[in-house]
Amino acid sequence: MDCAAAAAAIYRLPEECVAHAIAMTTPGDALSSSAVSPAFRAAADSDAVWDCFLPRDHAAVLTRADDDDCRECSMSKKELFTRLCSRPVLLDGATMSFGLDRRSGAKCWMLSARALSIVWGDDPSCWTWTADLPGSRFPEVAELVDVCWLEITGKLQLSLLTPQTTYAAYLVYAIADDSYGLECNIGILPPKGTVTVVVSGSGTKPTSTAVSTSTENTICLQHMQGEEETAMHRRRQEYVRPRKNYGWKLVREADMDIRCPRRRGDDGWTEVELGEFAVDDEEDGVVEVSLKEVECRRWKRGLIVQGIEIRPKHTN
């Protein structure tokens, strides 16, 4: 059978068969297949296909949505998938958001600053709450006024995440113009990002005791020279500083694993990866993500926290 005959045979397949085949691929493949032919487009756009890409519990999650349109869900399955990828839905009084990863369909969550545990967060001399900041997903953000003990923690149930997925947690923030104490300076201890996963059991393998794993990473919140500063973090540095009539040398070893900030393309805010973790099965437990700078005790000001985002980590 030549190529033309094979193509003609495929086009004669019932739409249900084509839809079933497309549903076995990925959301990206489904979008591409709609351009093959009108027959493929009808199958690729069908609710039968996109219902397979939506999480099984998406309807239950959307009952918590602040937007009435999302709760009523009058959109097609494809429209709903696209909506959740491009504009995450605010839940529980705008304290968190729910969305989907366009490439895999995995669930993405973001905890607002109000949903985080911020040490001294209720003291107006240490932190203030600002409303309606441009680009913020949430109605309120937290702004650091002055502290020497910086500690921010967020928690999320593992059951809310997509199994068989590697996730990364990101602090989403901005730096005020009058900030100080946040830059990565030589000889000053940087903040630490910690991700702790506590698994108490699963649907198939319940455990009598919780199993905890934790990873810690060095974090840089503010660059003074953009990408050049990033490169500096990742090589051995030697500084000679004048002191009266002689100099003294300060050496910092290369830190190849330091997590450096980057500008987000969708909202103009900055993010830095705090760590990553894997969700193996439908596990019962919690992931706890934290940012801490409690050793150096230098005074800090100007960190504007929008929240902590937990989303699938892609290697390319």
Side-chain angles (χ1 to χ4, degrees), residues 13-22:
L13 288 173
E15 182 179 312
E16 294 79 6
C17 293
V18 177
H20 179 74
I22 295 174

Side-chain angles (χ1 to χ4, degrees), residues 1 11 44 62 68 86 88 98 111 136 141 147 155 162 180 183 199 214 232 266:
M1 182 182 294
Y11 294 149
L62 291 178
D68 292 337
S86 59
F98 166 71
L111 305 173
S136 175
V141 299
V147 299
K155 295 182 179 181
T162 301
Y180 54 75
E183 63 278 358
V199 179
S214 184
M232 289 176 61
D266 55 346

Side-chain angles (χ1 to χ4, degrees), residues 171-236:
L171 179 73
V172 181
Y173 66 99
I175 302 292
D177 293 337
D178 60 349
S179 68
Y180 54 75
L182 301 173
E183 63 278 358
C184 300
N185 282 339
I186 191 74
I188 297 179
L189 293 173
K192 298 291 186 180
T194 304
V195 174
T196 302
V197 177
V198 180
V199 179
S200 56
S202 67
T204 57
K205 297 180 181 179
T207 59
S208 57
T209 59
V211 178
S212 176
T213 58
S214 184
T215 59
E216 185 179 77
N217 298 292
T218 304
I219 304 299
C220 177
L221 290 174
Q222 185 179 18
H223 286 325
M224 303 305 292
Q225 301 295 331
E227 293 302 320
E228 293 181 5
E229 181 89 359
T230 302
M232 289 176 61
H233 285 302
R234 294 175 176 160
R235 64 173 180 261
R236 189 172 185 270

